[in-house]
Coordinates of all heavy atoms in Angstrom, one line a residue:
L160 N -13.3 7.2 4.6 CA -12.6 6.3 3.7 C -11.2 5.7 4.2 O -10.9 4.6 3.9 CB -12.2 7.1 2.4 CG -13.4 7.7 1.6 CD1 -12.8 8.6 0.5 CD2 -14.3 6.6 1.1
F161 N -10.6 6.5 5.1 CA -9.2 6.2 5.4 C -8.9 5.6 6.7 O -9.7 5.8 7.6 CB -8.3 7.5 5.2 CG -8.4 8.0 3.8 CD1 -9.2 9.1 3.5 CD2 -7.7 7.5 2.8 CE1 -9.3 9.6 2.2 CE2 -7.8 7.9 1.5 CZ -8.6 9.0 1.2
G162 N -7.8 4.8 6.8 CA -7.4 4.2 8.0 C -5.9 4.1 8.2 O -5.2 4.5 7.2
D163 N -5.4 3.6 9.3 CA -4.0 3.5 9.6 C -3.5 2.1 9.5 O -4.2 1.2 9.9 CB -3.7 4.1 11.0 CG -4.2 5.6 11.2 OD1 -4.2 6.3 10.1 OD2 -4.4 6.0 12.3
G164 N -2.2 1.9 9.1 CA -1.6 0.6 9.2 C -0.3 0.6 8.5 O 0.2 1.5 8.0
S165 N 0.3 -0.6 8.5 CA 1.6 -0.8 7.8 C 1.8 -2.2 7.4 O 1.4 -3.2 8.0 CB 2.8 -0.3 8.8 OG 2.8 -1.2 9.9
G166 N 2.5 -2.3 6.3 CA 2.9 -3.6 5.7 C 4.3 -3.6 5.2 O 4.7 -2.5 4.7
A167 N 5.0 -4.7 5.3 CA 6.5 -4.7 5.0 C 6.8 -6.0 4.2 O 6.1 -7.0 4.4 CB 7.3 -4.6 6.3
A168 N 7.9 -5.9 3.4 CA 8.3 -7.0 2.7 C 9.8 -7.0 2.6 O 10.4 -5.9 2.5 CB 7.7 -7.0 1.3
V169 N 10.5 -8.1 2.8 CA 11.9 -8.2 2.6 C 12.2 -8.9 1.3 O 11.6 -9.9 1.0 CB 12.6 -9.1 3.7 CG1 14.1 -9.3 3.4 CG2 12.3 -8.6 5.1
L170 N 12.9 -8.1 0.5 CA 13.2 -8.6 -0.9 C 14.6 -9.1 -1.0 O 15.5 -8.6 -0.4 CB 13.1 -7.4 -1.9 CG 11.6 -7.2 -2.5 CD1 10.6 -6.9 -1.4 CD2 11.7 -6.1 -3.6
G171 N 14.8 -10.2 -1.8 CA 16.1 -10.8 -2.0 C 16.1 -11.7 -3.2 O 15.1 -11.8 -3.9
Q172 N 17.3 -12.3 -3.5 CA 17.4 -13.1 -4.7 C 16.6 -14.4 -4.5 O 16.7 -15.0 -3.4 CB 18.9 -13.4 -4.9 CG 19.1 -14.0 -6.4 CD 20.6 -14.3 -6.6 OE1 21.5 -13.9 -5.8 NE2 20.8 -15.0 -7.7
V173 N 15.9 -14.8 -5.5 CA 15.2 -16.1 -5.4 C 15.7 -17.0 -6.6 O 16.5 -16.5 -7.4 CB 13.7 -16.0 -5.5 CG1 13.1 -15.3 -4.2 CG2 13.2 -15.2 -6.7
K174 N 15.2 -18.2 -6.7 CA 15.7 -19.1 -7.7 C 15.4 -18.6 -9.1 O 14.3 -17.9 -9.3 CB 15.3 -20.5 -7.5 CG 13.9 -20.8 -7.4 CD 13.7 -22.3 -7.1 CE 12.2 -22.5 -6.9 NZ 11.9 -23.9 -6.5
D175 N 16.2 -18.8 -10.0 CA 16.1 -18.3 -11.4 C 14.7 -18.5 -12.0 O 14.2 -19.6 -11.9 CB 17.1 -19.0 -12.3 CG 18.5 -18.4 -12.2 OD1 18.6 -17.3 -11.4 OD2 19.5 -18.9 -12.7
G176 N 14.2 -17.5 -12.6 CA 12.9 -17.6 -13.3 C 11.7 -17.2 -12.4 O 10.6 -17.0 -12.9
Y177 N 12.0 -17.2 -11.1 CA 10.8 -16.9 -10.1 C 10.9 -15.4 -9.7 O 11.8 -14.7 -10.1 CB 10.9 -17.8 -8.9 CG 10.5 -19.2 -9.2 CD1 11.3 -20.1 -9.8 CD2 9.2 -19.6 -8.9 CE1 10.8 -21.4 -10.1 CE2 8.7 -20.9 -9.1 CZ 9.6 -21.8 -9.7 OH 9.1 -23.0 -10.0
G178 N 10.0 -15.0 -8.9 CA 10.0 -13.6 -8.4 C 9.4 -12.7 -9.4 O 8.5 -13.1 -10.2
F179 N 9.8 -11.4 -9.3 CA 9.2 -10.4 -10.2 C 9.4 -10.7 -11.6 O 10.6 -10.8 -12.1 CB 9.7 -9.0 -9.8 CG 9.4 -8.6 -8.4 CD1 10.3 -8.7 -7.4 CD2 8.1 -8.2 -8.1 CE1 10.0 -8.3 -6.1 CE2 7.7 -7.9 -6.8 CZ 8.7 -7.9 -5.8
Q180 N 8.3 -10.7 -12.4 CA 8.4 -11.0 -13.9 C 8.3 -9.7 -14.7 O 8.9 -9.6 -15.8 CB 7.3 -11.9 -14.3 CG 7.3 -13.2 -13.5 CD 8.5 -14.1 -13.8 OE1 8.8 -14.4 -14.9 NE2 9.2 -14.5 -12.7
S181 N 7.5 -8.7 -14.2 CA 7.3 -7.5 -14.9 C 6.8 -6.4 -14.0 O 6.2 -6.7 -12.9 CB 6.3 -7.7 -16.1 OG 5.1 -8.2 -15.5
F182 N 7.1 -5.2 -14.4 CA 6.7 -4.0 -13.7 C 6.0 -3.0 -14.6 O 6.4 -2.9 -15.8 CB 7.9 -3.3 -13.0 CG 8.5 -4.1 -11.9 CD1 9.7 -4.7 -12.2 CD2 8.0 -4.1 -10.6 CE1 10.4 -5.4 -11.2 CE2 8.6 -4.8 -9.6 CZ 9.8 -5.5 -9.9
E183 N 5.2 -2.2 -14.0 CA 4.6 -1.0 -14.8 C 4.5 0.1 -13.8 O 3.8 0.0 -12.7 CB 3.2 -1.4 -15.4 CG 2.5 -0.3 -16.0 CD 3.0 0.1 -17.4 OE1 3.9 -0.6 -17.9 OE2 2.4 1.0 -18.0
L184 N 5.0 1.3 -14.1 CA 4.9 2.5 -13.2 C 4.4 3.6 -14.1 O 4.9 3.7 -15.2 CB 6.2 2.8 -12.5 CG 6.7 1.8 -11.4 CD1 8.1 2.4 -10.9 CD2 5.8 1.6 -10.3
G185 N 3.6 4.5 -13.5 CA 3.2 5.6 -14.3 C 2.8 6.8 -13.4 O 2.6 6.7 -12.2
A186 N 2.8 8.0 -14.0 CA 2.4 9.2 -13.2 C 1.8 10.2 -14.2 O 2.1 10.2 -15.4 CB 3.7 9.8 -12.5
D187 N 0.9 11.0 -13.6 CA 0.3 12.1 -14.4 C 0.2 13.3 -13.4 O -0.8 13.5 -12.7 CB -1.1 11.7 -14.9 CG -1.8 12.9 -15.6 OD1 -1.2 14.0 -15.8 OD2 -3.0 12.8 -15.9

Side-chain angles (χ1 to χ4, degrees):
L160 304 173
F161 299 102
D163 301 334
S165 65
V169 176
L170 271 61
Q172 193 182 349
V173 293
K174 55 185 177 184
D175 280 353
Y177 284 81
F179 296 104
Q180 305 293 306
S181 57
F182 293 101
E183 172 78 2
L184 292 179
D187 175 7

